[in-house]
Amino acid sequence: MAVYRVCVTTGPYLMAGTLDNISVTLVGTCGQSPKQLLDRLGRDFAPGSVQKYKVCCSTELGELLLLRLHKERYAFFPKDSWYCSCVRVTAPDGTCSHFPCYQWIEGYCTLELRPGTAKTICQDSLPLLLDHRTRELQGRQDCYRWKVYAPGFPGIIDVSSFEEMETDKKFALTKMTPRVDQGDSSGNRYLPGFPMKIDLPSLLHMEPNIRYSATKTASLLFNAIPASLGMKLRGLLDRKGSWKKLDDIRNIFWCHKTVTSEYVTEHWCEDSFFGYQYLNGVNPVMLHCLSSLPSKLPVTNDMVAPLLGPNTCLQTELERGNIFLADYWILEEAPVHCLNGRPQYVAAPLCLLWLNPQGALVPLAIQLSQTPGPASPIFLPTDSYWDWLLAKTWVRNSEFLVHENNTHFLCTHLLCEAFAMATLRQLPLCHPVYKLLLPHTRYTLQVNTIARATLLNPEGLVDKVTSVGRQGLLYLISTALAHFTYTDFCLPDSVRARGVQAIPNYHYRDDGLRIWAAIESFVSEIVGYYYPSNTSVQQDSELQAWVREIFTHAFLRRESSGFPHRLCTPGELVKFLTAIIFNCSAQHAAVNSGQHDFGAWMPNTPSSMRQPPPQTKGTATLKSYLDTLPEVNITCNNLLLFWLVSQEPKDQRPLGTYPDEHFTEEAPRRSITAFQNRLAQISREIQERNKGLELPYAYLDPPLIENSVSI
């Protein structure tokens, strides 16, 4: 008689336990055990419990290949969900096998788990295991289906597929409640306390292994509802018309002020702070160094000489690499929307900046269109106060549109959703790349589904607060994706291509490159362990299918993007994985976490403009400035969005935090520890640096970076 000792760990989450019967079958190279009910006196699978059982076999099973968990009805109790963290099995000879699970199991079904040792398909030869890989991926592909949201968009998850899943279907771990009649056939409706329509049906059906935990959901609602109702009760969400004076804007979020938001309120109109935001604001990727001026921006030396001073000239500064351009060409043909029944306006400015001898980046000239001429004057710091401030505010509005739609939503949210989808569909649980990437996809599919249900839907928040509306968003994202390149995606390459290596006090660049290097070192060790040669990469058919699916659905097979559609060497794999992890974590933190800080003072980041760009100088006044800024209700709706997305709900996992032990071998576990130590050192360096800064930059402090795009 051979006795196997089985230890089952249930997750510590709310409602993670089950009352259903749980049985186990062990499958080894020499046979399989009888199906054994796991039952002890009292409740077996309570949240956070670790229960031990014995499985008796007539003979030893050899090397364990699979463990089958059977979830079946218990007496008259209704079926429920169970979160199984892992199962450990100790063989008669003392050998311990760890079977990671870390997933919700719904309904009555059988789930097959493999030991935790990561293996590529090239390392599997047994027909049983090859068949297991195939069946697992087929089940996932049936569950996670691609959908085209709009032409030119990256592929997204089709949440309607979750309604169709059967609970007893292998590897499809969910069956959602059938959709009830919503009255409104579209399901797009207003809810009390929310200023926009919400697409309810898309939120009601979500596979449990990708949806928010109960803790995170409660935290999100706790952040959203009081802020929204508070504005509603004060009448701000319904108040139309211009702000009477700028100081009134201070009172919107009187109880949600931060050190940075207060600093912005005090310094927003200063040229030096205007330039600072190109380096360390929420969109720190716009600047390109110039060696000559583009013909569409005919700035002369005489125009800027008063600012440059007597000891230099524009041509000299160009040759020194001190002149930079922020070009908002993508807005030139963007559709324009109506807010409160009134047409809004969009500019496509060119902003020229100078790195002065004091190391400060300051604006030199602003042209509010892509076409020079008498109707498109070049605004200068020597112009009147209100002319210059209005020109800078137009640039800040363009910053808002490009940042929110492209830098933030496209380049982090949508692309990371595509990475998550391809990982779920093409890599089995035992694949090393799946184990590496899974923590960096946590909640991404859920948060993007929420975004499409509340922001991108018709009459959603994008339609309520932005000058381009939903149609403009569709245009900007499709246009940006058509021009997005692998160089843009990889921070070190982007820094070199934009010529911004030498700008001082560029904390986003400095912190980002250190984090990139830490991720790259970690990924290199993991890849080197599992892929010792070029051949091992080239012959991994699952890996190649994964990268092809990303190329197809994220980048729409566009060869000019430079993104790989095949990986040939471990080095290529390291770079691609490093870029994915960086953009799913650090890059999202850099472009998301500061939105409330930099946007709470609305004139610094207006979401819409109510008057056309000025075509002559000398006409701007305080009144015309206030009449150009967004109306009161538009401002409040937008600041509500900034507040919500800047507050990461609870149930957080900072970068490098891997509580789920998907890797069980000693080598990758050592690599994880080294990665965490390196991130801790980076954090200490950032905190020490910030002590000497007038305005600390903490968005890329590793403990404040979420592992994944989850808000």
Side-chain angles (χ1 to χ4, degrees):
M1 177 71 67
V3 178
Y4 289 80
R5 301 183 183 277
V6 177
C7 180
V8 181
T9 302
T10 298
Y13 311 115
L14 185 66
M15 297 185 293
T18 183
L19 294 174
D20 289 340
N21 281 329
I22 303 297
S23 304
V24 67
T25 302
L26 304 177
V27 181
T29 53
C30 299
Q32 69 180 47
S33 71
K35 180 179 173 182
Q36 173 72 53
L37 178 66
L38 305 181
D39 187 26
R40 297 170 61 92
L41 185 64
R43 187 178 179 187
D44 288 279
F45 305 104
S49 67
V50 179
Q51 298 288 354
K52 298 179 180 180
Y53 307 90
K54 294 180 181 179
V55 175
C56 298
C57 306
S58 57
T59 60
E60 292 194 22
L61 303 177
E63 179 187 354
L64 291 182
L65 304 176
L66 294 174
L67 180 146
R68 295 191 182 117
L69 286 173
H70 311 278
K71 187 169 178 285
E72 299 164 314
R73 179 184 293 275
Y74 171 65
F76 55 84
F77 290 100
K79 57 190 172 188
D80 55 17
S81 301
W82 177 42
Y83 188 91
C84 177
S85 290
C86 63
V87 182
R88 287 184 173 84
V89 179
T90 304
D93 64 359
T95 303
C96 185
S97 299
H98 181 194
F99 293 83
C101 184
Y102 302 108
Q103 58 185 288
W104 290 95
I105 307 172
E106 287 206 337
Y108 308 131
C109 61
T110 296
L111 177 67
E112 291 185 348
L113 301 175
R114 289 185 54 159
T117 302
K119 290 188 176 182
T120 67
I121 193 170
C122 304
Q123 296 167 318
D124 271 343
S125 57
L126 293 176
L128 175 69
L129 297 182
L130 292 172
D131 177 65
H132 177 268
R133 298 179 88 107
T134 301
R135 288 185 294 112
E136 180 183 346
L137 291 180
Q138 184 58 59
R140 294 242 217 94
Q141 289 164 12
D142 290 342
C143 181
Y144 302 106
R145 302 176 193 167
W146 289 103
K147 178 181 178 180
V148 176
Y149 184 78
F153 254 58
I156 68 168
I157 188 169
D158 182 2
V159 295
S160 67
S161 65
F162 299 139
E163 297 175 73
E164 305 166 12
M165 304 308 299
E166 296 292 335
T167 56
D168 59 353
K169 186 169 184 179
K170 186 118 13 220
F171 303 111
L173 306 182
T174 172
K175 180 178 180 179
M176 305 307 292
T177 305
R179 180 178 294 177
V180 298
D181 181 16
Q182 301 291 331
D184 177 1
S185 59
S186 70
N188 204 38
R189 58 179 56 199
Y190 287 101
L191 289 181
F194 291 91
M196 68 291 187
K197 283 190 174 181
I198 297 176
D199 181 12
L200 281 174
S202 67
L203 296 177
L204 296 177
H205 306 277
M206 184 58 62
E207 204 274 335
N209 288 297
I210 61 175
R211 70 179 173 220
Y212 274 180
S213 66
T215 301
K216 205 169 190 75
T217 300
S219 176
L220 180 65
L221 293 174
F222 182 78
N223 286 337
I225 294 176
S228 179
L229 288 178
M231 288 187 185
K232 189 78 172 178
L233 291 173
R234 287 187 286 154
L236 295 174
L237 293 180
D238 300 315
R239 187 185 302 171
K240 299 180 181 180
S242 300
W243 291 92
K244 301 304 181 185
K245 54 184 185 293
L246 286 174
D247 275 352
D248 289 344
I249 300 171
R250 294 175 182 264
N251 299 322
I252 300 175
F253 272 134
W254 59 272
C255 60
H256 294 310
K257 295 177 180 179
T258 67
V259 171
T260 302
S261 69
E262 287 295 278
Y263 186 94
V264 172
T265 303
E266 296 299 324
H267 299 275
W268 69 285
C269 56
E270 298 171 6
D271 285 0
S272 58
F273 183 69
F274 179 89
Y276 169 91
Q277 293 184 85
Y278 279 106
L279 304 179
N280 304 308
V282 293
N283 191 27
V285 297
M286 285 295 295
L287 286 185
H288 290 258
C289 185
L290 296 181
S291 57
S292 62
L293 292 181
S295 59
K296 62 182 180 180
L297 183 60
V299 174
T300 66
N301 186 69
D302 289 343
M303 291 179 181
V304 297
L307 186 64
L308 296 179
N311 299 322
T312 189
C313 67
L314 183 57
Q315 183 58 40
T316 298
E317 294 303 306
L318 285 165
E319 292 170 359
R320 290 174 176 171
N322 289 334
I323 303 297
F324 300 86
L325 178 67
D327 187 349
Y328 301 88
W329 61 270
I330 197 170
L331 296 172
E332 186 174 22
E333 298 180 9
V336 180
H337 188 51
C338 288
L339 296 175
N340 290 341
R342 300 173 183 172
Q344 305 296 297
Y345 297 89
V346 174
L350 295 151
C351 182
L352 198 68
L353 298 106
W354 173 48
L355 184 63
N356 67 22
Q358 292 73 43
L361 190 70
V362 294
L364 270 182
I366 295 171
Q367 181 178 288
L368 295 179
S369 79
Q370 297 286 306
T371 306
S376 183
I378 296 175
F379 291 91
L380 304 166
T382 51
D383 292 337
S384 73
Y385 176 84
W386 289 110
D387 276 354
W388 182 234
L389 183 62
L390 181 59
K392 289 192 293 182
T393 304
W394 270 104
V395 174
R396 294 300 303 164
N397 168 250
S398 300
E399 268 284 291
F400 168 87
L401 295 173
V402 171
H403 163 257
E404 289 296 350
N405 294 297
N406 298 344
T407 309
H408 180 205
F409 193 63
L410 168 63
C411 296
T412 59
H413 281 263
L414 289 178
L415 292 183
C416 293
E417 177 173 4
F419 303 146
M421 281 287 288
T423 300
L424 288 167
R425 287 171 49 85
Q426 298 298 340
L427 301 176
L429 270 70
C430 64
H431 198 286
V433 173
Y434 179 92
K435 292 172 180 281
L436 176 67
L437 290 184
L438 187 64
H440 303 286
T441 67
R442 184 174 185 251
Y443 295 145
T444 298
L445 300 181
Q446 169 74 88
V447 73
N448 283 5
T449 301
I450 293 174
R452 285 187 285 271
T454 58
L455 307 183
L456 276 65
N457 56 315
E459 296 186 67
L461 209 52
V462 168
D463 266 348
K464 292 289 185 181
V465 303
T466 70
S467 51
V468 296
R470 181 174 183 270
Q471 291 304 312
L473 175 143
L474 299 179
Y475 167 82
L476 290 175
I477 287 181
S478 61
T479 304
L481 183 61
H483 292 82
F484 193 65
T485 67
Y486 197 30
T487 296
D488 300 326
F489 189 62
C490 299
L491 179 63
D493 297 346
S494 172
V495 167
R496 286 190 294 270
R498 295 187 291 116
V500 293
Q501 304 97 310
I503 300 179
N505 304 312
Y506 195 176
H507 309 309
Y508 159 78
R509 175 202 61 205
D510 299 339
D511 297 352
L513 288 175
R514 282 185 286 184
I515 291 171
W516 177 284
I519 295 172
E520 185 177 48
S521 176
F522 169 52
V523 171
S524 295
E525 292 181 10
I526 298 294
V527 168
Y529 184 72
Y530 294 104
Y531 293 95
S533 65
N534 293 350
T535 302
S536 61
V537 173
Q538 296 163 9
Q539 293 184 351
D540 186 345
S541 57
E542 292 168 339
L543 181 72
Q544 300 301 337
W546 170 76
V547 73
R548 278 197 307 272
E549 186 146 310
I550 291 174
F551 184 71
T552 298
H553 291 279
F555 306 107
L556 310 182
R557 298 191 181 95
R558 186 169 57 86
E559 296 281 352
S560 61
S561 69
F563 280 87
H565 53 82
R566 177 174 175 76
L567 296 168
C568 297
T569 68
E572 292 175 359
L573 177 57
V574 167
K575 181 176 181 178
F576 195 42
L577 291 173
T578 300
I580 288 174
I581 294 173
F582 180 85
N583 282 273
C584 288
S585 56
Q587 183 66 11
H588 180 254
V591 304
N592 176 76
S593 301
Q595 291 184 90
H596 174 72
D597 289 341
F598 286 92
W601 178 251
M602 178 272 290
N604 188 58
T605 316
S607 63
S608 65
M609 300 291 265
R610 292 185 289 144
Q611 300 296 328
Q615 297 184 348
T616 57
K617 295 186 179 185
T619 59
T621 63
L622 171 59
K623 183 180 185 307
S624 69
Y625 185 80
L626 290 171
D627 288 341
T628 301
L629 293 176
E631 295 181 61
V632 175
N633 64 329
I634 305 301
T635 299
C636 294
N637 282 326
N638 191 54
L639 296 196
L640 177 62
L641 171 63
F642 280 164
W643 168 249
L644 293 179
V645 299
S646 298
Q647 305 304 305
E648 182 73 47
K650 303 301 180 184
D651 188 16
Q652 298 162 283
R653 291 186 181 176
L655 180 61
T657 303
Y658 305 117
D660 298 345
E661 297 179 1
H662 290 282
F663 284 109
T664 60
E665 305 98 299
E666 189 59 33
R669 292 166 70 89
R670 285 197 303 268
S671 297
I672 289 172
T673 300
F675 180 42
Q676 293 168 339
N677 291 338
R678 190 164 183 180
L679 291 175
Q681 177 61 33
I682 292 171
S683 177
R684 288 191 290 269
E685 293 169 359
I686 289 174
Q687 292 176 24
E688 185 63 29
R689 187 249 350 254
N690 283 345
K691 291 178 182 178
L693 296 180
E694 182 180 9
L695 182 60
Y697 183 81
Y699 303 120
L700 290 180
D701 188 0
L704 303 181
I705 299 172
E706 188 72 6
N707 252 338
S708 59
V709 177
S710 59
I711 185 61

